[in-house]
Amino acid sequence: MMATLTFYLAGVIAVIATLLAITRSNPVHAVIYLVNSFFALALLFYLLGAPLLAAWELIIYAGAIMVLFLFIIMMLKLSPSSAEKGLMATSGQWVPVVLLAVALAGCTMLLTGLDSLTARGIPRWHATPRDFGYSLFKEYALAVEIASFQLLFAAVGAFYVGRPDEPKDSRGGA
Amino acid sequence: MIVPLEHVLVLSTVLFTLGLICVLARRNLIMILIGVEVMLNAVGLSFVGASAFWQNLDGQMMVIFLMAMTSAEVSISLAMVVYLQRRKNSVDVRSFNEMRG
């Protein structure tokens, strides 16, 4: 029962945080709200029996990809005038962030402390890292290799696209 | 399964629609990429929900490959954002409405 309640709470938080994220005029605020939404999504993943995916949602999405977004936004040095004219007011934006964060922390407390449906806060059916790794590297070994190729190509492509400008005339000789 | 599969799918659809609105309505390139992220996560949620419904690990495997794909997509697309910013000094999609290099 408590797990079901937590699911709906986390779902509402995810929708609210996403709604706030897509209406921000400042991309930095949008990224912070999106991190909030990813925390709620990680809780949903955990409740649906994917604890490893919940951890990776936080590590990869919230920890790596969103920080990459923040780095790029900082690198671009967007002037305030180049930001879109706001769809909503920009003051007091930390209030919903704090509210959402407190609600998420409350959900996690509920899940770990008071849950009666599940034993020790773990959903009844869940994929243990052992099952997960076995399935990933046994049945999907080829796909893992292809994904690693894909990441390599992406790294090379990002390096190529993001290289510093070269003089125009040297391109003809290359 | 703690909730019916339909509720997971409804939540996933709502999140996907929010991401789609973000992609279609915003004009900032970075906000468009954020919308794509929201959509990918919504799809991942539906995969995990289906995985829990059938108690089968294949859906979770798809989410892992979705994450790998997202990492590649984000690195390429952010590099292109940096490139476009360098070229036109703007991240507004309206300044990229011509194909002439």
Side-chain angles (χ1 to χ4, degrees):
Chain A
M1 198 60 226
M2 203 58 86
T4 310
L5 187 66
T6 315
F7 180 91
Y8 291 120
L9 272 175
V12 168
I13 291 169
V15 170
I16 291 174
T18 307
L19 198 58
L20 286 168
I22 67 171
T23 51
R24 292 304 94 176
S25 58
N26 188 339
V28 176
H29 296 166
V31 168
I32 301 300
Y33 279 116
L34 205 58
V35 168
N36 220 314
S37 161
F38 286 164
F39 270 78
L41 266 173
L43 197 53
L44 294 178
F45 282 3
Y46 181 83
L47 288 169
L48 289 173
L52 204 61
L53 280 183
W56 286 350
E57 174 87 11
L58 294 186
I59 293 169
I60 297 178
Y61 272 108
I65 294 180
M66 287 301 123
V67 172
L68 190 64
F69 267 97
L70 283 181
F71 278 150
I72 295 295
I73 291 168
M74 283 189 271
M75 227 179 84
L76 293 181
K77 284 183 294 202
L78 300 175
S79 56
S81 62
S82 76
E84 288 177 63
K85 288 304 152 214
L87 297 167
M88 292 177 74
T90 55
S91 61
Q93 283 182 329
W94 53 272
V95 177
V97 170
V98 170
L99 283 179
L100 289 171
V102 167
L104 268 181
C107 282
T108 315
M109 297 284 205
L110 274 181
L111 186 67
T112 53
L114 302 171
D115 201 350
S116 59
L117 178 80
T118 57
R120 303 193 310 278
I122 300 172
R124 256 183 216 143
W125 181 83
H126 68 279
T128 62
R130 184 191 176 86
D131 298 338
F132 197 88
Y134 191 81
S135 181
L136 183 62
F137 291 112
K138 188 90 175 172
E139 299 171 33
Y140 291 92
L142 181 64
V144 171
E145 294 301 323
I146 293 173
S148 70
F149 272 113
Q150 181 192 31
L151 287 171
L152 176 67
F153 295 153
V156 173
F159 184 73
Y160 177 74
V161 173
R163 75 199 185 283
D165 279 333
E166 54 197 24
K168 286 281 182 189
D169 49 14
S170 74
R171 194 174 290 167
Chain B
M1 193 79 181
I2 53 171
V3 289
L5 181 63
E6 290 79 16
H7 294 187
V8 180
L9 292 180
V10 165
L11 179 59
S12 163
T13 311
V14 169
L15 287 175
F16 189 90
T17 312
L18 286 176
L20 192 61
I21 288 170
C22 186
V23 168
L24 293 178
R26 299 305 298 262
R27 300 181 300 274
N28 189 329
L29 274 174
I30 294 180
M31 291 307 296
I32 289 176
L33 289 179
I34 285 175
V36 173
E37 293 305 302
V38 171
M39 286 199 285
L40 286 168
N41 271 285
V43 172
L45 178 64
S46 66
F47 268 125
V48 172
S51 176
F53 183 70
W54 281 289
Q55 308 214 339
N56 189 334
L57 275 177
D58 290 345
Q60 299 191 9
M61 295 298 133
M62 284 304 293
V63 178
I64 283 296
F65 294 122
L66 199 68
M67 282 179 180
M69 195 274 291
T70 308
S71 312
E73 175 252 329
V74 162
S75 62
I76 292 275
S77 50
L78 284 178
M80 292 195 75
V81 168
V82 171
Y83 175 76
L84 292 173
Q85 155 85 11
R86 211 182 275 151
R87 226 181 75 185
K88 286 270 179 81
N89 216 4
S90 158
V91 289
D92 193 328
V93 283
R94 284 171 297 187
S95 38
F96 305 110
N97 54 3
E98 55 183 16
M99 293 184 75
R100 191 166 54 83

